[in-house]
Amino acid sequence: MTSGLWELVLKGIWTTVRLLVFSALLGAAVAFVVGIARIHRRWVVRFLAGFYTEVFRGTSALVMIFWVFFVLPPAFGWQLVPMWAGTLALGLTYGAYGAEIVRGALGAVDPAQREGGIALGFTSGQRMRRILLPQAVPEMIPPFSNLLVELLKGTALVSVMGMGDLAFSGNLIRLALQESAEIYTYVLLIYFVIAFLLTRVMRGLESRLKAGVR
């Protein structure tokens, strides 16, 4: 490939990485808020959190991107740029999956730990911050690592908006060179390298968090 085509690939990688970071941050915030709400003492909060989770887990991320980018703008009179439309759709969708990870990890904490917090006079917020989350977060890291890799692969869906991510750039180069096997092999390898680096980082984070709990 020429230097110009490699520059297109690098721009696609940069776009994919930015989208991954923005979507992961939004998804993590949604996951913790909704996941904690799933175990709230008030049934209304649990119901709303559960409704959100079921809706976004039960719908396609691709269709959600269509809704955010093509359907909602005419209804509300505004238009999101592709980066923020993709971030919103992916963050909300994968955040719903993350919420179940948070809920499950919090529910797995020994009930005696909660009872000890109550005996010490901690409020529910203090029990969450000082007892439950420090023990639950290290257990969330492995499933969150898998979800992050799934999110990386999900970023390719934004190419339907004409966004210049890695998948879109690879397709443009394929059309220019008429070399499907070579180009898509490069694209696969690039996705693999990014995913491999993500899993290494998450494993390191898991080890540090578990060391802190011990």
Side-chain angles (χ1 to χ4, degrees), residues 12 15 19 26 35 38 44 48 50 65 72 89 102 107 120 130 135 145 153 156 170 173 182 203:
T15 299
L19 179 62
L26 175 60
R38 291 294 306 274
V44 175
L48 292 175
I65 289 174
L72 293 182
V102 173
L120 292 172
R130 299 183 180 182
Q135 297 182 67
S145 179
K153 294 184 285 186
I173 298 172
E182 179 184 357
R203 285 187 181 180

Side-chain angles (χ1 to χ4, degrees), residues 123-146:
T123 65
S124 59
Q126 289 173 327
R127 292 197 300 273
M128 182 63 67
R129 292 193 307 272
R130 299 183 180 182
I131 299 175
L132 299 181
L133 283 176
Q135 297 182 67
V137 168
E139 304 304 321
M140 299 177 195
I141 299 301
F144 267 142
S145 179
N146 289 333

Side-chain angles (χ1 to χ4, degrees), residues 21-45:
V21 171
F22 295 151
S23 301
L25 290 175
L26 175 60
V30 169
F32 276 94
V33 171
V34 177
I36 292 173
R38 291 294 306 274
I39 61 171
H40 198 274
R41 64 179 181 276
R42 294 186 179 180
W43 73 269
V44 175
V45 177

Side-chain angles (χ1 to χ4, degrees), residues 2-213:
T2 64
S3 59
L5 293 179
W6 277 114
E7 183 179 351
L8 184 60
V9 171
L10 292 176
K11 288 182 179 179
I13 294 173
W14 174 237
T15 299
T16 294
V17 170
R18 285 194 299 149
L19 179 62
L20 174 65
V21 171
F22 295 151
S23 301
L25 290 175
L26 175 60
V30 169
F32 276 94
V33 171
V34 177
I36 292 173
R38 291 294 306 274
I39 61 171
H40 198 274
R41 64 179 181 276
R42 294 186 179 180
W43 73 269
V44 175
V45 177
R46 295 197 305 272
F47 172 79
L48 292 175
F51 179 77
Y52 168 85
T53 302
E54 295 302 324
V55 167
F56 279 87
R57 283 196 311 171
T59 53
S60 166
L62 179 61
V63 176
M64 190 60 62
I65 289 174
F66 283 139
W67 263 88
V68 173
F69 191 68
F70 296 109
V71 178
L72 293 182
F76 292 94
W78 44 257
Q79 179 70 58
L80 288 173
V81 297
M83 175 62 74
W84 299 123
T87 296
L88 185 62
L90 294 175
L92 293 177
T93 300
Y94 285 87
Y97 291 98
E100 285 299 283
I101 295 174
V102 173
R103 181 192 64 80
L106 290 173
V109 176
D110 190 342
Q113 299 289 330
R114 294 184 177 86
E115 296 169 1
I118 295 173
L120 292 172
F122 287 174
T123 65
S124 59
Q126 289 173 327
R127 292 197 300 273
M128 182 63 67
R129 292 193 307 272
R130 299 183 180 182
I131 299 175
L132 299 181
L133 283 176
Q135 297 182 67
V137 168
E139 304 304 321
M140 299 177 195
I141 299 301
F144 267 142
S145 179
N146 289 333
L147 190 60
L148 190 59
V149 172
E150 288 297 321
L151 176 58
L152 168 64
K153 294 184 285 186
T155 58
L157 297 174
V158 301
S159 59
V160 299
M161 300 183 291
M163 186 174 171
D165 70 312
L166 177 58
F168 187 81
S169 300
N171 189 52
L172 289 181
I173 298 172
R174 180 190 68 84
L175 294 174
L177 299 180
Q178 295 297 310
E179 288 287 346
S180 298
E182 179 184 357
I183 300 306
Y184 283 131
T185 299
Y186 285 140
V187 172
L188 282 174
L189 289 174
I190 292 170
Y191 274 114
F192 171 77
V193 169
I194 298 174
F196 180 80
L197 293 175
L198 287 175
T199 55
R200 295 296 101 184
V201 170
M202 294 298 283
R203 285 187 181 180
L205 179 61
E206 179 186 4
S207 298
R208 292 188 63 181
L209 290 174
K210 286 186 175 180
V213 171

